[in-house]
Each structure stands twice: as C-alpha cells, then as structure tokens.
Amino acid sequence: MAHQAFASAGLFDLTGKTALVTGGAQGLGRMIAEGLLSAGATVAITSRKADVCEAAAAEMAALGRCIALPADLSTPEAAVELVQRYRAAVGPCHILINNAGKTWGGEIDTFPDKAWPSVMAVNVQTPFTMVRELLPELEGAGTPDDPARVINIGSVAGMKTERLHAYSYSASKAAVHMMTRDLAGDLAARNITVNAVIPGFFPTKMTAHLRDDDEQVDPALLSHIPLRRLGSPRDIAAVILFLCGKGGGYVTGAQIPVDGGIVGCG
Ligand SMILES: NC(=O)c1ccc[n+]([C@@H]2O[C@H](COP(=O)([O-])OP(=O)(O)OC[C@H]3O[C@@H](n4cnc5c(N)ncnc54)[C@H](OP(=O)(O)O)[C@@H]3O)[C@@H](O)[C@H]2O)c1
C-alpha cells in the first residue's frame, strides 16, 4: 500500500513546472533539458548561437514545450538580459539549472592570465547573477512543501585534484560548490533549495580530448573511475529529476557527485 501511495504521488512528475537550463542545447545541459521535458516540465534552453539554440529546441519539442533563448553568458549584464527575456517568454520559474560552463587547459608555465576572468565569469559570476535576477520568480514558485529549485553544475575537478591542468576551471568549480551552500543557507527561508550536482566524466565536447570517439575512452581515465565507465544521459537526468521532483524538496545545500565513485571512493 505504501509503495502505491508513493508511486501515485508522482515523485518525479514535473507537469506544470517551468525550468531554465543554461547551455541546454548540447552536452550535459541537453541531457538535463531532455530529462526535465520528459517529466512534463516546460523548459527554456540557452546557447550562444541562435541557430543551434532554435534547432535544439525544435528537436526537443517532441518531448514537450521547449523554448530557445540564445545568450552568451560571459557577462552579468547578459544574464540580466536573459532573465528579462525568460520572464517575457515563459513567466514563472520553478527550476533554474546553472549548467553553462567554460574550461581552459594549459601547462602551468604558460597558463595565460586571460584564462581566469573569462572562466570565472561564465562558471561563477553569471550563475550567481541568474539566481539574483530570478529571485522574484523562484520565490513566487516555491512553497514550504514544494520549494523552487536551483541546481548549480559543479565538477569533480572542484572537489579533488584531477591533474587536468585546468587551473581556473577547478578553482571556479570549487567556488560554485561553496556559493551553492552560501545561497542555500540564505534562500531556505524563501522556499528555494540550492544544490550542486557534481559530474565526473561524461562524453561531451568538454571531455572530447579524453577519447578518440564515444566508444574509445582513454584506458587510464577508465581505470581512474571506480565504476569503470563514463556517465550517461540517464545518470545525470536521474539525479536532476530526484532533486526537482516532489521527493527532492527536503534537500538543500548538498553537493551530490554523479561520477562513478571518483569523489566518494577516493
Ligand atoms: N562533461 C563532463 O564530463 C563534465 C564534468 C564535470 C562538470 N561538467 C560541467 O557540465 C557543464 C556542461 O558542460 P559539458 O560537459 O556539457 O560541456 P560542453 O559540451 O562543452 O558544453 C558547455 C556548455 O556551456 C555553454 N557555454 C559555454 N560558454 C558559454 C558562454 N560564454 N555563454 C553561454 N553558454 C556558454 C555551451 O553553450 P553553447 O551551445 O553556446 O556552446 C554548452 O552548452 C559545465 O558546467 C561543465 O563544467 C562537465
């Protein structure tokens, strides 16, 4: 009986919810957007290129209502402007996924100064601006029983030394993890949860240099992952649906690795 009661409550059903996924046209953001759409949410996605954004939204329309909002999130001003367009196109916001991210790899001796402000802007500053600007919508959408959700996409690189020579990237992701806890503490009383999802290695453009193609993953990388495989769309979508669904409303300030055990088993 108890099992049936939970099932009928639709723990992962997002019908009637609205979400914004930055960088939702491709990579991990696309996996997340497809998961949210499949659960019934209306989803707005961003990409820097308008044609890429429109094409992705058109493809995902098979899953549900998907809205293209092209945006280059290199500056806080751009984030402010994106929220204005989101407000006009969608209105309420139950779920914000700060997924867009930028990396920069280089040897320590020649790692350039310009690799710092650009990475910190996309990975830390604009996610903060997105939360600040969407506060009226998030607060309006959340209730004590079913809060609004903010999920920041962090990285294992911000949790432990991964030797990726991506100095500004790993520092930016550690900053995202701490910012998540800070925001969670401040926004709990306003019925908004804030959590960090911490991916390990997923087959996207960002990790393309680590494999010849999707099948040929560097054996050294696989042996570094306790579960011996890369992450899949199902792996990332499931944790997002858990956090965004009715059953995830009591979790805030958490840092949840989805990494095949890299952080937890290390
Ligand atoms: N793949 C992994 O194994 C892994 C592991 C840990 C963490 N992550 C994190 O997951 C998130 C998604 O990365 P990914 O793996 O999907 O890599 P990706 O395929 O390279 O995607 C990066 C995403 O960020 C967006 N983006 C980059 N710079 C932007 C800018 N200036 N303005 C707006 N959007 C921008 C891209 O949008 P466009 O469509 O405009 O290119 C794209 O959607 C990132 O935060 C990354 O740090 C990934």
Side-chain angles (χ1 to χ4, degrees):
M1 278 301 282
H3 288 300
Q4 280 172 2
F6 277 123
S8 62
L11 287 178
F12 308 107
D13 179 18
L14 299 179
T15 304
K17 305 281 186 184
T18 51
L20 172 56
V21 182
T22 65
Q26 57 145 329
L28 272 181
R30 173 85 177 240
M31 301 174 198
I32 292 167
E34 291 186 355
L36 294 170
L37 285 162
S38 300
T42 292
V43 179
I45 58 166
T46 77
S47 174
R48 283 164 294 181
K49 291 190 178 140
D51 56 342
V52 171
C53 205
E54 298 286 353
E59 285 165 22
M60 284 192 275
L63 299 173
R65 186 169 171 237
C66 188
I67 297 144
L69 296 175
D72 184 332
L73 296 169
S74 300
T75 64
E77 291 78 14
V80 171
E81 199 258 343
L82 168 62
V83 170
Q84 287 166 353
R85 282 187 287 128
Y86 175 88
R87 206 167 268 148
V90 183
C93 186
H94 300 88
I95 298 163
L96 167 64
I97 314 283
N98 276 318
N99 163 80
K102 180 182 171 77
T103 190
W104 196 307
E107 294 304 316
I108 177 73
D109 306 80
T110 52
F111 197 80
D113 288 329
K114 68 180 177 187
W116 282 91
S118 57
V119 169
M120 295 301 284
V122 176
N123 293 3
V124 188
Q125 188 175 11
T126 59
F128 174 84
T129 307
M130 292 298 298
V131 174
R132 187 194 66 208
E133 291 300 304
L134 275 168
L135 276 178
E137 281 72 21
L138 292 166
E139 200 166 1
T143 65
D145 188 46
D146 191 11
R149 316 294 210 275
V150 174
I151 299 175
N152 297 320
I153 303 299
S155 172
V156 290
M159 297 281 279
K160 63 194 291 282
T161 48
E162 285 292 294
R163 297 288 181 77
L164 296 171
H165 307 284
Y167 303 100
S168 53
Y169 177 76
S170 54
S172 76
K173 290 299 182 176
V176 166
H177 303 159
M178 191 60 218
M179 181 173 76
T180 298
R181 295 173 60 196
D182 231 349
L183 289 172
D186 286 348
L187 297 179
R190 294 164 77 165
N191 298 325
I192 302 168
T193 67
V194 189
N195 292 289
V197 164
I198 299 180
F201 291 88
F202 284 72
T204 67
K205 274 190 195 163
M206 196 171 276
T207 54
H209 60 290
L210 299 172
R211 58 185 191 280
D212 294 335
D213 56 50
D214 284 353
E215 305 304 319
Q216 292 294 320
V217 184
D218 181 351
L221 173 61
L222 284 185
S223 67
H224 171 65
I225 303 169
L227 289 176
R228 296 286 190 273
R229 66 171 176 86
L230 301 186
S232 71
R234 182 190 58 194
D235 296 325
I236 194 76
V239 75
I240 297 289
L241 292 185
F242 156 63
L243 286 172
C244 293
K246 284 194 179 68
Y250 200 51
V251 178
T252 197
Q255 302 171 352
I256 304 179
V258 187
D259 66 347
I262 294 172
V263 169
C265 306

